[in-house]
Amino acid sequence: EAQVTQNPRYLITVTGKKLTVTCSQNMNHEYMSWYRQDPGLGLRQIYYSMNVEVTDKGDVPEGYKVSRKEKRNFPLILESPSPNQTSLYFCASSSVQGGVTEAFFGQGTRLTVV
Amino acid sequence: KQEVTQIPAALSVPEGENLVLNCSFTDSAIYNLQWFRQDPGKGLTSLLLIQSSQREQTSGRLNASLDKSSGRSTLYIAASQPGDSATYLCAVTSDTGNQFYFGTGTSLTVIP
């Protein structure tokens, strides 16, 4: 089954404690991206990756890092989380070949930073 | 910068009604437009994808149209059912295909 898998689904952490949210896709997609969703603001793109070792900033990259060492994985790293990073996070992947970029989303990670 | 707006923000209709959700975007240089459904606390499920060269797409009771030149898309839901209750999001892809821009969604409630 084609899917994007995020872990963990729920996470409560303290300010300053480094954390990683993993994202994996099994569709051999080149493109992967991370979003955060906040009430009234909708989904905003944090980082995206066009392929292995190619990453770029989205609209709200401050406080986040990513890496793309393998095609299937795109972890989101918060080196020093702060309460304003409390949010619902989504990972997505899509193929950029053939002129179609249909996006597939993971189930989300609800992060609370206290 | 691309801005995507969805109107209305919330909609409540009785079961069986046909309804239209609206999405507008400021930059017509898009790669495609995608409609999603999101249930509370859940991820996004893709409903319809319209490529920039297309005018509409249909799937079951859903029909999405795209007027790229005017920066508008509509999602038509026929014979609404309580199970259609969810938030509906539209997203446009930049013309380079590497950035997605989302609207803030329309929260739909279908009353039995």
Side-chain angles (χ1 to χ4, degrees), chain B residues 88-104:
Chain B
Y88 290 81
L89 296 158
C90 73
V92 299
T93 311
S94 63
D95 58 357
T96 53
N98 59 6
Q99 287 198 275
F100 288 78
Y101 298 93
F102 283 84
T104 51

Side-chain angles (χ1 to χ4, degrees), chain B residues 21-103:
Chain B
L21 307 181
N22 296 293
C23 173
S24 61
F25 47 95
T26 54
D27 186 348
S28 61
I30 64 169
Y31 204 59
N32 59 34
L33 184 144
Q34 197 168 352
W35 281 93
F36 296 89
R37 169 188 173 133
Q38 184 178 25
D39 293 285
K42 300 286 180 66
L44 280 69
T45 301
S46 178
L47 297 173
L48 289 164
L49 170 74
I50 310 177
Q51 297 181 50
S52 60
S53 58
Q54 297 176 322
R55 300 283 295 193
E56 66 177 337
Q57 283 285 336
T58 298
S59 175
R61 294 183 294 108
L62 305 180
N63 176 275
S65 68
L66 173 64
D67 184 343
K68 204 173 78 156
S69 60
S70 68
R72 295 177 191 274
S73 175
T74 61
L75 178 66
Y76 175 82
I77 303 176
S80 57
Q81 303 171 357
D84 294 331
S85 298
T87 296
Y88 290 81
L89 296 158
C90 73
V92 299
T93 311
S94 63
D95 58 357
T96 53
N98 59 6
Q99 287 198 275
F100 288 78
Y101 298 93
F102 283 84

Side-chain angles (χ1 to χ4, degrees), chain A residues 29-74:
Chain A
H29 285 163
E30 302 82 11
Y31 180 90
M32 298 185 73
S33 56
W34 277 101
Y35 302 83
R36 60 179 288 172
Q37 186 176 34
D38 301 290
L41 297 176
L43 279 103
R44 294 176 293 168
Q45 194 172 43
I46 303 171
Y47 268 95
Y48 63 93
S49 169
M50 296 295 286
N51 215 323
V52 175
E53 301 291 2
V54 181
T55 63
D56 210 343
K57 297 177 180 178
D59 291 326
V60 288
E62 294 79 19
Y64 305 94
K65 284 176 57 179
V66 292
S67 68
R68 189 88 180 275
K69 292 184 171 55
E70 306 166 280
K71 199 172 187 180
R72 63 182 291 127
N73 295 322
F74 190 44

Side-chain angles (χ1 to χ4, degrees), chain A residues 56-103:
Chain A
D56 210 343
K57 297 177 180 178
D59 291 326
V60 288
E62 294 79 19
Y64 305 94
K65 284 176 57 179
V66 292
S67 68
R68 189 88 180 275
K69 292 184 171 55
E70 306 166 280
K71 199 172 187 180
R72 63 182 291 127
N73 295 322
F74 190 44
L76 179 69
I77 303 157
L78 284 72
E79 293 271 5
S80 183
S82 62
N84 65 11
Q85 293 179 298
T86 293
S87 187
L88 180 59
Y89 291 86
F90 289 102
C91 177
S93 76
S94 62
S95 172
V96 295
Q97 296 182 3
V100 178
T101 56
E102 184 176 10

